């Protein structure tokens, strides 16, 4: 249960999917023995704009192969790529019945009929909608009510009760209130209230099965004490224990908690500790069996360079049933696929992914987090979307390729760990229009100027300016506008070096 596969041709081996952040092109690589045996590139922008991003995976038609869901950041249309037995896209129905400003927050199977469904959430009204899917058609639409926008859907696909049906887990990002809806199709079979978990305790993972009992478990991190806490779930109720301590000063980031590197059916944890890859191999009781550095067959440690990130730590690409690692160089685009035997990398295959391409299937779809207060917000191990609605918010993406969506005029938030060529700043283009003298910007990749001195009032050479020494990203209203001033969009606390495709107008 611990390995979530993206299997495009139904052969039991995970496949790789790459998406070019600039053009929107998608490349599928059918894998065998840890290496690609077939490669197809689809030019998405020939039919749809490059603002269409892969937002989820599932088996929406019950064919046994993984389908790919796209969602536009600019016009809110969703596209479903249905794959056939040979891994080729055989259908691409599109859906435009959802109002603007809705996000996909779950692709679970809520009725256990073998077909993935879609869970949508309104960014501004909190409305929760379920689409029950039947092949390429929507079998039923169901409104599940309005959930306060201060609450995030931290998981809309995992099964916390063990009945084979996906459930929905909520958490209040302002008060820590945590609630589970055990689902039976579109009906809420049971509501379980876990109370208010302090907001200094972040939810690291909800997809792991840490004791191989067939239910997904929850993994928490206490930013004050450094304790890593597991909730082993039974019928929707937890058995709570501390499994280890990771000091906040250790600069450790959980990459994944649902890979299985030794093939025993128990989820293992993978950490990035200052560039060192560290595995926690777990035992059947949910405890740590061993702690090891990832190394090659000669005992040499596998280290992450300054421009390298782990894009996938859950899929199995070699048919062994063990999770592999995909390490991508964000500068060159080169990706390495590491076949694993416990903490040992037994084989490495190098793939040239291109400098603008990201691995779409590795980190999972993540969650949507509404950063609407002057609080600290933390991501999961997935590709999360932070909807920044407060200039005083501090957001930490963690692992995954995260989207930081600056909504409206709520500018000035702090992003602590922005990763170039992986994370992306998404700016609402409607916010960058002045009533007099300013152009209407079309969605797409933003060109900008980067320097060290900072912007100067009246300088009309650019509309966006990144001050590399401070990490401040500014919007410069065009020369001749009424205000002709500069607005602070966000501060990137780690001062990364940005390129144009790190910023997108949607």
């Amino acid at each position: 249960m611990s390995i979530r596969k993206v299997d495009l041709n139904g052969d039991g081996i995970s496949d790789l999917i790459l998406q070019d952040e600039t053009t929107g092109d998608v490349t599928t690589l059918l894998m065998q023995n840890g290496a690609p045996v077939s490669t197809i590139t689809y030019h998405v922008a020939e039919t749809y704009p490059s603002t269409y991003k892969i937002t989820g995976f599932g088996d929406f038609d019950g064919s046994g192969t993984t389908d790919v869901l796209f969602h536009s950041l600019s016009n809110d249309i969703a596209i479903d790529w249905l794959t056939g037995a040979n891994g080729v896209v055989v259908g691409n129905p599109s859906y435009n019945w959802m109002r603007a400003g809705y996000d996909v927050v779950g692709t679970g199977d809520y009725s256990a009929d073998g077909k993935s469904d879609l869970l949508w959430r309104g960014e501004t009204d909190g409305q929760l909608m379920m689409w029950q899917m039947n092949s390429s058609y929507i079998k039923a639409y169901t409104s599940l009510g309005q959930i306060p926008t201060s609450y995030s859907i931290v998981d809309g696909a995992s099964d916390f009760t063990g009945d084979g049906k996906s459930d929905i887990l909520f958490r209040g990002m302002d008060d820590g209130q945590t609630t589970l809806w055990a689902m039976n199709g579109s009906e809420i079979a049971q509501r379980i209230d876990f109370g208010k978990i302090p907001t200094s305790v972040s939810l690291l993972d909800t997809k792991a099965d840490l004791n191989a009992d067939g239910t997904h478990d929850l993994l928490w991190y206490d930013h004050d004490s450094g304790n890593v806490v597991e909730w082993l779930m039974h019928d929707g109720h937890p058995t709570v224990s501390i499994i280890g301590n990771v000091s906040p000063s250790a600069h450790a980031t959980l990459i994944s908690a649902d890979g299985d590197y030794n093939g025993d059916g128990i989820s293992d944890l993978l950490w990035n500790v200052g560039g060192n890859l560290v595995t926690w191999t777990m035992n059947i009781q949910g405890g740590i069996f061993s702690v090891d550095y990832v190394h090659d067959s000669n005992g040499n440690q596998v280290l992450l360079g300054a421009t390298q990130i782990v894009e996938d730590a859950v899929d199995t690409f070699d048919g062994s049933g063990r999770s592999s690692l995909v390490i991508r160089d964000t500068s060159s685009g080169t990706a390495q696929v590491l076949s694993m035997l416990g903490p040992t990398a037994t084989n490495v295959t190098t793939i040239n992914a291109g400098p603008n391409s990201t691995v779409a299937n590795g980190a999972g779809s993540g969650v949507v987090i509404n950063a609407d207060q002057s609080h600290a917000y933390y991501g999961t191990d997935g590709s999360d979307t932070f909807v920044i609605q407060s200039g005083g918010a501090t957001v930490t993406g963690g692992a995954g390729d995260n989207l930081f969506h600056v909504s409206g005029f709520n500018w000035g938030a702090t992003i602590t760990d922005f990763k170039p060529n992986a994370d992306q700043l998404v700016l609402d283009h409607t916010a960058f229009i002045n009533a007099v003298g300013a152009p209407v910007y079309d969605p797409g990749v933003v060109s900008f100027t980067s320097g060290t001195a900072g912007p100067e009032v009246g300088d009309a050479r650019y509309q966006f300016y990144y001050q590399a020494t401070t990490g401040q990203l500014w919007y410069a209203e065009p020369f001749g506008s009424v205000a002709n001033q500069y607005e602070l969009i966000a501060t990137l606390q780690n001062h990364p070096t940005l390129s144009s495709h790190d910023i997108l107008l949607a």
Side-chain angles (χ1 to χ4, degrees):
M1 185 177 200
S2 62
I3 298 177
R4 52 179 191 267
K5 294 179 179 177
V6 174
D7 183 2
L8 299 175
N9 58 353
D11 64 355
I13 302 172
S14 298
D15 302 306
L16 272 172
I17 301 180
L18 312 175
Q19 184 170 26
D20 190 296
E21 293 286 347
T22 301
T23 65
D25 288 354
V26 173
T27 300
T28 61
L29 294 85
L30 301 184
M31 304 291 287
Q32 288 183 10
N33 299 318
V37 294
S38 175
T39 302
I40 303 174
T41 296
Y42 298 90
H43 300 291
V44 177
E46 290 181 355
T47 307
Y48 302 101
S50 61
T51 55
Y52 277 77
K53 302 298 180 184
I54 295 174
T55 192
F57 300 92
D59 186 1
F60 302 106
D61 57 359
S63 66
T65 62
T66 301
D67 306 316
V68 185
L69 184 73
F70 293 79
H71 186 212
S72 173
L73 298 173
S74 57
N75 63 13
D76 294 285
I77 294 176
I79 308 168
D80 181 9
W81 276 12
L82 304 175
T83 59
N86 58 359
V88 175
V89 176
V90 296
N92 58 346
S94 63
Y95 313 103
N96 59 355
W97 300 297
M98 185 55 66
R99 298 193 301 272
Y102 274 63
D103 300 301
V104 177
V105 293
T107 56
D109 182 0
Y110 304 100
S111 58
D113 64 354
K115 301 181 181 70
S116 300
D117 305 310
L118 290 176
L119 191 67
W120 295 84
R121 174 83 183 286
E123 287 182 2
T124 58
D125 62 10
Q127 182 69 45
L128 198 61
M129 295 286 296
M130 181 182 290
W131 290 3
Q132 291 181 280
M133 305 299 291
N134 183 20
S135 187
S136 59
Y137 301 96
I138 303 171
K139 181 171 62 176
Y141 307 78
T142 304
S143 172
L144 300 178
Q146 285 186 300
I147 309 301
T149 56
S150 60
Y151 279 67
S152 288
I153 313 298
V154 293
D155 196 306
S158 294
D159 174 16
F160 301 107
T161 62
D163 63 356
K165 301 170 185 175
S166 297
D167 303 312
I168 305 174
L169 184 68
F170 304 86
R171 189 172 189 220
M173 291 300 165
D174 301 334
D175 61 7
Q177 178 67 46
T178 305
T179 304
L180 174 65
W181 285 2
M183 302 301 294
N184 181 21
S186 59
E187 297 180 355
I188 304 169
Q190 186 179 10
R191 290 177 171 87
I192 302 173
D193 181 5
F194 299 122
K196 295 183 178 181
I197 312 299
T199 55
S200 60
V201 179
S202 62
L203 191 51
L204 289 179
D205 193 275
T206 59
K207 309 169 191 72
D209 185 1
L210 296 167
N211 58 348
D213 67 350
T215 62
H216 291 102
D217 303 312
L218 294 119
L219 195 69
W220 303 81
Y221 180 70
D222 189 326
H223 291 265
D224 292 335
S225 67
N227 286 334
V228 179
V229 180
E230 67 180 1
W231 285 14
L232 300 180
M233 303 299 288
H234 314 276
D235 298 321
H237 298 278
T239 298
V240 181
S241 61
I242 298 172
I243 58 174
N245 185 276
V246 177
S247 170
S249 63
H251 304 293
T253 300
L254 180 70
I255 296 173
S256 173
D258 55 320
D260 179 9
Y261 306 111
N262 59 357
D264 63 356
I266 305 169
S267 296
D268 304 313
L269 277 63
L270 179 69
W271 298 85
N272 175 7
V273 185
N276 299 284
L277 294 179
V278 178
T279 59
W280 287 9
T281 303
M282 306 299 287
N283 60 33
I284 196 68
Q285 289 81 31
I288 301 173
F289 173 74
S290 67
V291 176
D292 304 277
Y293 288 110
V294 175
H295 54 271
D296 63 20
S297 54
N298 295 318
N300 300 310
Q301 215 176 313
V302 177
L303 301 174
L304 290 182
T307 60
Q308 289 182 310
I309 59 175
V310 178
E311 290 268 38
D312 191 329
V314 296
D315 282 285
T316 176
F317 300 105
D318 57 7
S320 68
R322 299 186 297 269
S323 294
S324 304
L325 305 183
V326 179
I327 299 175
R328 182 173 68 90
D329 190 308
T330 60
S331 177
S332 67
T334 301
Q336 294 179 316
V337 181
L338 282 65
S339 296
M340 302 299 294
L341 180 59
T344 305
T346 59
N347 184 65
V348 179
T349 299
T350 300
I351 298 170
N352 183 15
N356 297 335
S357 290
T358 60
V359 179
N361 57 309
S365 58
V367 303
V368 177
I369 298 171
N370 292 305
D372 58 355
Q373 299 288 330
S374 298
H375 294 171
Y377 296 88
Y378 302 97
T380 70
D381 74 325
S383 298
D384 302 311
T385 298
F386 292 85
V387 182
I388 298 176
Q389 298 173 321
S390 171
T394 299
V395 297
T396 301
D401 297 341
N402 302 294
L403 293 179
F404 300 96
H405 188 172
V406 180
S407 174
F409 287 91
N410 300 297
W411 302 341
T414 298
I415 301 171
T416 68
D417 63 341
F418 190 88
K419 302 186 295 292
N421 298 299
D423 295 337
Q424 195 165 45
L425 270 164
V426 179
L427 311 177
D428 189 337
H429 75 281
T430 61
F432 299 95
I433 302 172
N434 189 275
V436 180
V440 176
Y441 293 103
D442 294 324
V445 174
V446 176
S447 56
F448 70 104
T449 298
S450 180
T452 59
E456 296 179 4
V457 174
D459 194 336
R461 291 177 300 168
Y462 42 75
Q463 281 83 41
F464 292 92
Y465 183 95
Y466 178 60
Q467 190 172 352
T469 52
T470 63
Q472 293 176 316
L473 180 66
W474 301 84
Y475 166 60
E477 292 186 355
F479 185 78
S481 69
V482 172
N484 190 28
Q485 63 184 10
Y486 292 82
E487 299 286 352
L488 179 62
I489 297 172
T491 297
L492 310 183
Q493 197 172 71
N494 57 334
H495 302 180
T497 300
L498 297 185
S499 59
S500 61
H501 68 270
D502 294 318
I503 309 173
L504 180 73
L505 277 184

